[in-house]
Amino acid sequence: GVAPLGAVPLLKEHQAQFQMMEAAYYHMPNPGDSERVRSYMPRNQYHTPPYYIQSPLPHSDTLEFYQRLGTETLFFVFYYMEGTKAQYLAAKALKKQSWRFHTKYMMWFQRHEEPKVINEEYEQGTYIYFDYEKWGQRKKEGFTFEYKYLEDR
Amino acid sequence: DRTPGGPTVHIHNGILQYEDPPGLMEKTDYLIREWINIYNSQPTGRDSTKAFSIFVHQMNMNGILKTDDLITRFFRLSTQLCVESVYRHMTDQSLTGNHLRVKCYNTLDAFVRLVALLVKHSGDSSNTTTKIHLLNKVLGIVAGCLLQDHEQRLVEFQQLPYHRIFIMLFLELNTPEPVLEAINYHVLTAYCHTLHILRPSKAAGFCYAWLELVSHRVFMGRMLAVTPQQKGWAMYAQLLIDLFKYLAPFLRNAELAKPVTMLYKGTLRVLLVLLHDFPEFLCDYHYGFCDVIPPNCIQMRNLILSAFPRNMRLPDPFTPNLKVDILQEITFGPRVLNNFASMITPTSFKKDLDTYLKSRAPVTFLSDLRSNLQVSQESGMRYNIPLMNALVLYVGTQAISYIRGKNLTPNMSTIAHSAHMDIFQNLAVDLDTEGRYLFLNSIANQLRYPNSHTHYFSCTLLYLFAEANTEAIQEQITRVLLERLIVNRPHPWGLLITFIELIKNPTYKFWSHEFVHCASEIEKLFESVARSCFVQKT
C-alpha cells in the first residue's frame, strides 16, 4: 500500500475503535442472521474445493427452470423450503403440471383419469397424490376432492 | 452530535434510562417468556394474530399498558432480557453451530414479532402518528441498550442480538400491507436516524452488522429505488459518509489489519452494487464522498467517480481524433447536491475570494491563499482538505459562468488569463508538495463523465501542465493522473481523456520530460499505457 501523505499514528479513540472492531471480527455476522429461520435446511457453511460449483446456475430462480425439475424435487422444495421464493416457484411449476394443492390434507393431487362426478362442490374419481410422510406417490380411487379445499379457487 | 429534536426525539428518549418501579422486571420477564413460548409453539406461531390479542389482554391485566412510561420500560426490560438470553446461549458449551443460532433466533424473532404487532395495532388503523412514535421509541430503546452493552462488555460485546432485532423488525415492517405502506417513509427515516446514532465511530464493535444492515438488499432497495422522488437518497448518503469517515484514519496509513480489510472489502462491494444499480446516486453525491475518503484510496474513489447517468453514452476515450469540444454533453453542468460554496470559511475569506474573482485584485489575496488553506505544521496533516476541495470547485464553477457570460465556451484559450486561473496557477506554484498534491487531487476529482465541470477541469489541468514553470509541477500532475490509472478498473472517463491528451498531443512535449525516463519501470509503464492509447482496438 501507499500513503502519499505519510503515516500518521492512530489517535487514542481510533485505537479503542480498532480494539472493538477486532473483537467483533472474531464473531462476524452469519448469512443466516438476517434471514428467516430455515427449520429443515439451515445454512451450513463449509469450505468446498474450488473445482466444485460454488454458486447456483444462472437463471435457476426462474419458473422456466423450475418447470424442468423433476416432480419429486418440486415436492421437496415445497415441503422443506417453506416461505421462500423457491417454494413459490415450485408450487407454480406443480400447478402448471396439473397438480392441485389440497389445503386440508396439505398434499398435492393430480387427476389419474377424467373424474366420474363433477359438480359445483366437488369432483370424484381416481387421483395420484404425493404423500409427504411416506415420501412417495400413491393412487387413491373414489376420492372426493371438495373444491373448498382447493387452493386459489 | 445532532441535538435531540424533531423526529429523533423519541429515539433519544428511548436511549435514556431510569430506575424501574419494583416488580416490573419480574412481570416483564414472565410476560415475555410467555410470549416467546406462544410464538414458538405450533400451530399458533408465526402469524400469531389471535395469540396476540390474548397477550395484549394479559399485558393490560398486568398494568403494562397503563402509561407510556410503563410501555417504554417494558420494551427496555424485554430487550435486555432477550439480549441476556442470547449471551447465555453463547456461553452454553452444550450448544453448537446451528442449534445455538436457532435458539437465539427463536427468542429474538418472537420479540420482534411482538414489537411489529404492537406497532401495527397501536392507535386505530388510520392513526399513523402513534405507530411512528412507538416505532421510534422502540428503536431508541434497542439502540440505547446496544450502546450501554457495548460500553460495559467492551470486547465481549456481541453484535448478533441487535443485528437480528433490527433486520427482522425492518423486514416485518416492510411486508406489503396497506397499514405499513402508509408509514413506510417514516420507518425508513427512523431506521436511518438509528443507524446514524449507531455509526461505526460510536459503536465500533457493531460495525460489521451495521454494514450488513446498511447494505441489505431490502433496505437499499427501499432507500434508493422504491421511495419516490429520491427522498431517501440524502439519508442514505449520510450513512455512507459515516462509514467512509470511520474508515479514513485506518485507510490513510495503508496498514490494513485483517479487521480493517474485511470492512474495506465490504465497502468496495457496496460501492460496486451502487455503481451498477444506482449510478445516478453516486453521481449526485460524489462531492461529499470524495471529501471524506482519504487521498490514497484510489480505487474506492474511482468507483464513485466512474459513475455516470444511465441514459448517457460515453464515447470511447481511445477513439482516434476524438473531439471532446463538440460533444453535446459538455455544455451541461452536473448535479452537485452539496452546498460547497458555504463550505468556504471563514466568511471573510469567502468575501475576499469573491472580491478577487470580480476585480482580480488585490494581489495580496494570492499570496495569502496558502496560509488560508494551511491548518497545521505537522507533515501529512498540513491542509484543510474540505476547504481545498470547496475552493477548487467553487472557483471552477465561477470560471465556467464567467466565460459563458462573455458568450464564449470554456476551452484551452478562454480559460486562461483570468482571476480564476490566477488562483489555480498560484496554488500550483506556491504550495509545497503536500498542498499541491491535494490541490491536483481536488481537480482530478472533477474528471468524470462528459459534463461542463469535467471539460473545464480537464482543460485546466492540461493548461497548468503546459504553463508550469518547474518540472516538479508537471511531474506531480502526471503522478496524480497516472496513479488513478494504474489501479484496476473502473477508470473515470474524464481522467482517461485528460491523460490521453497529455501523452498524445505534441504541444505538451510529454516524452521529453526527465521524470518520464527517471526509472526503467516507470518508462515501461508509460510505454504500455501509450500502447493501449495509440493502438487501434481490433
Side-chain angles (χ1 to χ4, degrees), chain B residues 19-25 27-28 31 59-60 62-78 134 137 141:
Chain B
E19 285 276 305
D20 291 313
L24 185 65
M25 172 68 143
K27 267 185 198 168
T28 306
L31 283 168
M59 280 177 83
N60 229 338
N62 280 279
I64 303 288
L65 302 177
K66 228 183 278 168
T67 66
D68 219 35
D69 174 60
L70 276 173
I71 299 173
T72 309
R73 289 171 193 279
F74 170 79
F75 276 124
R76 180 160 31 75
L77 290 171
S78 44
L134 184 61
K137 194 168 276 178
I141 289 163

Side-chain angles (χ1 to χ4, degrees), chain B residues 71-194:
Chain B
I71 299 173
T72 309
R73 289 171 193 279
F74 170 79
F75 276 124
R76 180 160 31 75
L77 290 171
S78 44
T79 306
Q80 284 166 345
L81 288 165
C82 291
V83 169
E84 283 301 327
S85 103
V86 168
Y87 276 100
R88 261 199 318 281
H89 291 323
M90 292 209 146
T91 48
D92 186 342
Q93 299 296 322
S94 68
L95 287 170
T96 50
N98 278 321
H99 286 288
L100 168 84
R101 261 3 214 208
V102 169
K103 278 224 158 202
C104 298
Y105 295 164
N106 285 344
T107 306
L108 297 165
D109 292 0
F111 174 65
V112 163
R113 183 78 188 148
L114 179 63
V115 172
L117 286 168
L118 282 167
V119 168
K120 236 164 67 177
H121 297 287
S122 72
D124 51 66
S125 62
S126 61
N127 186 346
T128 52
T129 323
T130 326
K131 297 183 214 306
I132 297 153
H133 283 181
L134 184 61
L135 172 66
N136 274 289
K137 194 168 276 178
V138 173
L139 289 177
I141 289 163
V142 180
C145 291
L146 189 160
L147 290 171
Q148 193 188 31
D149 194 14
H150 189 264
E151 201 173 299
Q152 282 169 357
R153 292 196 212 240
L154 295 170
V155 296
E156 303 296 320
F157 174 80
Q158 292 281 353
Q159 313 172 73
L160 169 69
Y162 305 100
H163 180 200
R164 181 102 185 154
I165 290 174
F166 282 128
I167 192 61
M168 285 304 163
L169 183 59
F170 186 76
L171 295 177
E172 288 269 7
L173 296 172
N174 280 281
T175 43
E177 282 177 57
V179 189
L180 295 174
E181 295 286 352
I183 58 166
N184 192 257
Y185 180 67
H186 299 281
V187 172
L188 296 177
T189 313
Y191 262 83
C192 285
H193 287 318
T194 310

Side-chain angles (χ1 to χ4, degrees), chain A:
Chain A
V2 265
L5 301 180
V8 172
L10 286 183
L11 299 177
K12 252 216 174 87
E13 62 168 308
H14 298 141
Q15 286 173 11
Q17 285 170 357
F18 181 80
Q19 257 187 352
M20 291 300 285
M21 175 164 59
E22 193 180 32
Y25 176 77
Y26 292 103
H27 26 80
M28 209 50 101
N30 274 7
D33 290 354
S34 42
E35 289 169 357
R36 298 219 160 79
V37 177
R38 305 180 179 196
S39 334
Y40 301 108
M41 295 212 301
R43 277 185 182 268
N44 190 5
Q45 283 191 297
Y46 192 79
H47 181 79
T48 53
Y51 46 82
Y52 286 137
I53 185 166
Q54 298 291 318
S55 52
L57 296 169
H59 312 296
S60 58
D61 55 351
T62 58
L63 182 57
E64 292 69 43
F65 183 88
Y66 275 74
Q67 282 178 278
R68 300 212 308 267
L69 297 175
T71 334
E72 193 174 335
T73 310
L74 294 176
F75 287 128
F76 179 81
V77 171
F78 182 83
Y79 286 109
Y80 286 88
M81 297 171 75
E82 204 190 331
T84 62
K85 186 181 176 185
Q87 188 196 36
Y88 170 78
L89 290 172
K92 277 211 137 182
L94 285 168
K95 279 184 194 166
K96 285 225 167 205
Q97 295 175 33
S98 304
W99 288 89
R100 297 288 173 262
F101 190 62
H102 195 290
T103 55
K104 186 181 165 194
Y105 298 124
M106 306 296 267
M107 287 183 201
W108 291 85
F109 286 77
Q110 194 183 43
R111 287 177 182 170
H112 185 61
E113 50 175 31
E114 251 325 282
K116 301 257 182 332
V117 191
I118 298 184
N119 59 33
E120 287 283 289
E121 320 261 272
Y122 62 86
E123 58 182 61
Q124 201 178 54
T126 307
Y127 291 84
I128 306 285
Y129 68 97
F130 189 83
D131 184 336
Y132 60 82
E133 278 175 331
K134 305 248 164 48
W135 201 256
Q137 293 191 16
R138 297 273 181 280
K139 192 154 87 181
K140 199 159 188 98
E141 284 166 26
F143 177 72
T144 309
F145 199 130
E146 290 185 67
Y147 290 145
K148 65 175 178 185
Y149 296 126
L150 181 65
E151 210 217 4
D152 297 339
R153 263 169 294 172

Side-chain angles (χ1 to χ4, degrees), chain B residues 469-509:
Chain B
N469 58 358
T470 65
E471 206 170 51
I473 298 173
Q474 294 171 320
E475 181 175 350
Q476 229 174 346
I477 292 173
T478 311
R479 182 226 161 107
V480 165
L481 290 173
L482 189 69
E483 76 178 357
R484 289 177 184 227
L485 289 171
I486 53 172
V487 295
N488 286 327
R489 286 185 303 169
H491 303 125
W493 181 87
L495 189 71
L496 276 167
I497 289 287
T498 310
F499 190 68
I500 292 170
E501 181 67 12
L502 184 65
I503 62 173
K504 243 178 150 174
N505 193 329
T507 48
Y508 301 110
K509 302 190 187 71

